[in-house]
Amino acid sequence: MLRRIIPRGIFTVNLMENEYSGLKIRGGNPLEGSLRISGAKNAALPVLCATILSSGKFEVSNCPRLTDVFTLLELLKSLGARWEWDTDGSVLEPPPPLNIDTSHINSFEAPFELVQKMRASFLVLGPLLARFGRAKVPLPGGCEIGARPVNFHLAGLEALGAQWKIESGFVDVSVHKLKGARILLDFPSVTGTENILMAATLAHGKTIIENAAMEPEVVDLGSMLKNMGAKIEGLGTSTIVVEGVKSLRPVPWTIIPDRIEAGTFMMAVGIAGGRLELKNANPAHLDAVISKLAASGLEIHQKKDAIEVRRRTRIKSVDVTTMPYPGFPTDLQAQMTAMMAFSSGLSVITEQIFENRFRHVDELRRLGADIRVEQRSAIIRGKDELTGAPLTATDLRASASLVIAGLGAKGTTTVFDIHHLDRGYEGLDEKLRSVGAEIKRI
């Protein structure tokens, strides 16, 4: 697993294995101080894929140093791209810009060993098809949190004139010339919207994407594409209109703050207590989350680019249902479940997006949490005290929920299989340690 990269000359790196397997947490310390929220993983990955659409040099700022990002960079390298990034710095400080040169991309086939590690790798499909008229990409892997079919992607590309087939685990898509079309998504799939949006920028004519995803990460991608010369209207709404252009140009781009990381730290305060100022955060992206956390008793003060959160008394129970944006995000459901395990009262957390996203519940029960799952809902009876125990992370967001639960549990909690955590959180343990948590890698 990638821990960090160290530059060895132009566009070459040495990949270091992570020698750590777990996090050991001693609960009971309130969190006090300020933290910098990293760039959003779910914005960075499609932005990096979008660089395929144009030949030239890109500079990407505020890109989070995550194993998923490194995996995607290696995928771009396998296609012929070159990149350089000095990541040998503290996660408490902003990262240096990432430089990518796509002038030498000469392949339309993504390698299985990289795509199977991370579902977002499938986002190279649309850009490769738009640039080369063909793309061959393995069916994606990633967290086992439920069915996430690629039919949204393929139906959209087919509507644009592409033909596709699946052979030996690979999706092979080809087209003579992409042509604009009206595309109605059965579900507002984020990655489906992004793949179709990227392909449509270089299609001939107008494309209308209806029931499109409205997430801030989709808006960030679309905004970058507009800076590259794409003609796009309706970003942030359920209908996106794209007028295809002949070519796009490279641009510098800055990744938006990670709303999921910000929400995770806010819930950590709900569990551990104390006060945190989250810098480089956009509260406008967290309306549904802030509303629920305020209802639970947290004091939240919003600034233009920062959020201050404080817990003075024990949190109260609230009910939550996950929904596509602007609803409560599924990527914060596990963390909210952990926080409600410490609340006063009975709460119901309903998961509407993924059918298999309660795998963290069994691990929270090891701490003594009173939770039962009925179909798509977790019924949680908050307890005054949970007790530390050894836990196993099952996916990315579940791992974060176990870590923040350990901050409030009595005694020591050890979370194993933290490679999940490093896929989506930039130095979560180092950041928590900087604000008073007793946590270390083992």
Side-chain angles (χ1 to χ4, degrees):
M1 178 188 28
L2 297 164
R3 174 63 178 150
R4 67 181 181 180
I5 58 174
I6 299 179
R8 303 291 188 202
I10 299 298
F11 301 120
T12 61
V13 295
N14 178 34
L15 305 180
M16 299 180 63
E17 294 295 322
N18 185 356
E19 66 272 33
Y20 302 104
S21 62
L23 286 175
K24 191 172 185 178
I25 308 149
R26 183 172 294 278
N29 295 338
L31 306 178
E32 297 284 349
S34 63
L35 289 171
R36 183 192 67 86
I37 297 301
S38 299
K41 174 183 88 86
N42 291 337
L45 299 179
V47 160
L48 296 183
C49 291
T51 64
I52 295 172
L53 290 165
S54 178
S55 176
K57 296 180 179 180
F58 293 80
E59 182 181 87
V60 182
S61 299
N62 200 39
C63 189
R65 293 156 286 192
L66 307 169
T67 56
D68 272 11
V69 169
F70 298 148
T71 297
L72 189 50
L73 287 173
E74 286 302 288
L75 195 162
L76 292 177
K77 180 181 176 182
S78 75
L79 299 174
R82 301 175 179 179
W83 53 274
E84 183 180 28
W85 197 18
D86 181 1
T87 62
D88 195 20
S90 171
V91 298
L92 303 179
E93 300 296 332
L98 163 63
N99 295 294
I100 304 174
D101 186 350
T102 58
S103 305
H104 305 280
I105 291 182
N106 56 9
S107 172
F108 55 77
E109 183 171 342
F112 169 80
E113 62 272 16
L114 293 174
V115 176
Q116 62 91 23
K117 291 181 180 181
M118 180 183 66
R119 184 174 185 81
S121 301
F122 202 66
L123 284 170
V124 301
L125 190 71
L128 286 174
L129 181 67
R131 181 166 173 177
F132 296 106
R134 190 174 176 194
K136 189 174 181 181
V137 181
L139 290 168
C143 290
E144 297 177 7
I145 58 177
R148 292 184 283 179
V150 299
N151 58 300
F152 300 120
H153 307 246
L154 299 179
L157 296 177
E158 186 175 32
L160 295 175
Q163 296 180 321
W164 59 271
K165 59 184 178 180
I166 298 179
E167 289 183 347
S168 303
F170 278 75
V171 178
D172 195 337
V173 186
S174 60
V175 70
H176 175 67
K177 177 63 178 177
L178 290 170
K179 297 181 180 180
R182 176 180 174 271
I183 300 169
L184 174 61
L185 296 176
D186 292 337
F187 178 83
S189 162
V190 172
T191 54
T193 299
E194 291 169 338
N195 240 336
I196 297 166
L197 175 61
M198 286 187 281
T201 60
L202 295 179
H204 178 73
K206 180 184 293 185
T207 298
I208 302 173
I209 308 171
E210 296 185 285
N211 198 26
M214 299 185 287
E215 274 73 1
E217 295 80 13
V218 176
V219 176
D220 193 50
L221 170 65
S223 299
M224 177 198 182
L225 293 171
K226 289 177 69 173
N227 273 31
M228 292 172 66
K231 296 180 180 180
I232 304 171
E233 296 180 356
L235 292 171
T237 75
S238 60
T239 301
I240 300 175
V241 180
V242 185
E243 188 70 46
V245 297
K246 291 184 178 180
S247 63
L248 298 174
R249 60 181 178 273
V251 294
W253 195 249
T254 300
I255 304 296
I256 59 172
D258 195 322
R259 61 191 173 102
I260 304 303
E261 184 190 28
T264 300
F265 280 118
M266 294 168 74
M267 293 172 195
V269 173
I271 292 173
R275 183 202 68 85
L276 284 184
E277 181 187 22
L278 306 177
K279 299 178 179 179
N280 187 43
N282 189 338
H285 294 166
L286 287 158
D287 283 345
V289 175
I290 289 173
S291 176
K292 288 295 182 180
L293 294 183
S296 76
L298 290 180
E299 297 178 12
I300 301 171
H301 298 284
Q302 304 177 46
K303 304 176 183 179
K304 181 180 179 180
D305 57 358
I307 302 171
E308 184 180 303
V309 56
R310 182 192 299 268
R311 197 202 81 187
R312 296 184 189 272
T313 60
R314 185 181 176 188
I315 54 174
K316 297 176 289 187
S317 60
V318 293
D319 296 338
V320 169
T321 299
T322 64
M323 298 177 67
Y325 191 85
F328 194 96
T330 180
D331 279 355
L332 283 171
Q333 177 262 109
Q335 300 90 310
M336 191 69 175
T337 300
M339 193 178 95
M340 287 297 99
F342 291 87
S343 69
S344 59
L346 185 71
S347 57
V348 179
I349 308 290
T350 301
E351 174 57 59
Q352 296 275 49
I353 308 300
F354 297 119
E355 73 279 5
N356 191 29
R357 207 163 200 181
F358 282 123
R359 299 178 68 193
H360 50 283
V361 166
D362 285 341
E363 299 304 306
L364 291 173
R365 286 183 183 136
R366 294 179 186 273
L367 301 176
D370 184 350
I371 309 174
R372 74 177 190 274
V373 176
E374 295 183 1
Q375 296 180 337
R376 283 181 172 254
S377 295
I379 296 91
I380 309 163
R381 191 177 298 277
K383 300 182 73 172
D384 292 335
E385 185 177 275
L386 301 184
T387 304
L391 308 174
T392 301
T394 55
D395 62 66
L396 169 53
R397 305 307 174 183
S399 63
S401 75
L402 303 183
V403 170
I404 65 174
L407 298 175
K410 182 181 179 180
T412 300
T413 297
T414 306
V415 182
F416 294 98
D417 283 0
I418 58 168
H419 62 277
H420 293 292
L421 191 74
D422 292 331
R423 287 185 50 224
Y425 288 90
E426 187 179 41
L428 182 66
D429 53 323
E430 186 175 344
K431 289 184 177 182
L432 286 172
R433 199 160 44 244
S434 73
V435 291
E438 190 173 338
I439 178 172
K440 66 178 180 178
R441 297 206 171 212
I442 56 172

